[in-house]
Amino acid sequence: MTAGESGPGWGRRRLRRVVYTADDIRRRVTELGREIAGAYGPEDCVLVLGMLKGSFIFVADLVREISIPLHVDFLVAASYGKRLASSGDVRLLYNPRTSVAGRNVLLVEDIIDSGNTLRRVIPPLLGRNPASLEICTLLHKRRVRLGKDARWVGFEAPEEFLVGYGLDFGEDFRHLPYIGSL
């Protein structure tokens, strides 16, 4: 599928343009994996926490590029539904029972847009006493300032509604190997 096309079940939603190609994403994920591996040692007990559902493809690709031992778990939060803007009401649907105490936690997000999800998720994670908490995001719109900003950013994101590579609109478009704009 290319920009301008739509698919089954997507109604009238069409991609306006491809923002980041599959090759762009692959290159940047490889770089991020190297940077993250260089920040930790094999003794650092890294726990990668992916924010579902949007980050699942990014997390899968990223952890294969991090050359140190790590564990993976996920959090599930929701705020968009079938809207082009966050509702502002972030619901934490799954909070893992994995112990974070004394561990180096890497929270992996698909996109930082309004910052609402991170504002909802970070305080309880810090309350569980990790050795450290860092954030890696594939996309960052730089619309907000957070108390804890992302240490690793894949791409500076344009002010557009982005889909593909795990990001969705009403559950559609996640499967695209690139990131496009609606």
Side-chain angles (χ1 to χ4, degrees):
M1 174 166 303
T2 60
E5 293 184 54
S6 63
W10 295 349
R12 295 176 176 229
R13 292 281 169 208
R14 293 182 182 278
L15 291 179
R16 290 185 6 216
R17 68 185 184 103
V18 173
V19 179
Y20 301 106
T21 67
D23 287 338
D24 294 335
I25 295 166
R26 195 171 14 264
R27 272 191 300 278
R28 187 63 184 125
V29 170
T30 298
E31 291 168 359
L32 288 169
R34 284 190 203 127
E35 291 170 19
I36 292 166
Y40 299 101
E43 72 286 349
D44 281 330
C45 194
V46 174
L47 171 63
V48 173
L49 279 180
M51 292 295 300
L52 290 178
K53 294 182 192 173
S55 74
F56 79 102
I57 295 173
F58 179 41
V59 169
D61 288 347
L62 181 65
V63 298
R64 289 184 296 220
E65 298 295 337
I66 299 174
S67 61
I68 59 168
L70 54 80
H71 291 168
V72 178
D73 206 337
F74 293 91
L75 296 165
V76 181
S79 68
Y80 278 84
K82 290 194 173 205
R83 292 178 297 270
L84 290 175
S86 172
S87 67
D89 177 31
V90 177
R91 294 172 293 134
L92 192 55
L93 306 175
Y94 171 72
N95 190 358
R97 299 200 190 284
T98 302
S99 175
V100 301
R103 299 180 82 177
N104 295 285
V105 176
L106 178 61
L107 185 59
V108 179
E109 182 65 292
D110 54 350
I111 186 168
I112 297 175
D113 188 348
S114 67
N116 290 332
T117 301
L118 291 178
R119 282 190 196 97
R120 170 75 169 89
V121 168
I122 289 174
L125 282 176
L126 289 174
R128 292 166 68 182
N129 302 314
S132 69
L133 174 64
E134 297 294 346
I135 301 165
C136 176
T137 186
L138 179 62
L139 302 164
H140 200 317
K141 287 195 176 179
R142 303 284 182 195
R143 295 172 56 194
V144 296
R145 289 190 110 30
L146 300 167
K148 176 83 175 162
D149 204 8
R151 179 170 178 183
W152 292 284
V153 175
F155 301 99
E156 302 296 325
E159 284 295 325
E160 300 172 51
F161 195 92
L162 303 174
V163 295
Y165 196 70
L167 290 92
D168 75 305
F169 175 75
E171 296 300 323
D172 291 325
F173 301 102
R174 285 191 198 278
H175 69 289
L176 299 176
Y178 54 84
I179 296 171
S181 172
L182 288 184

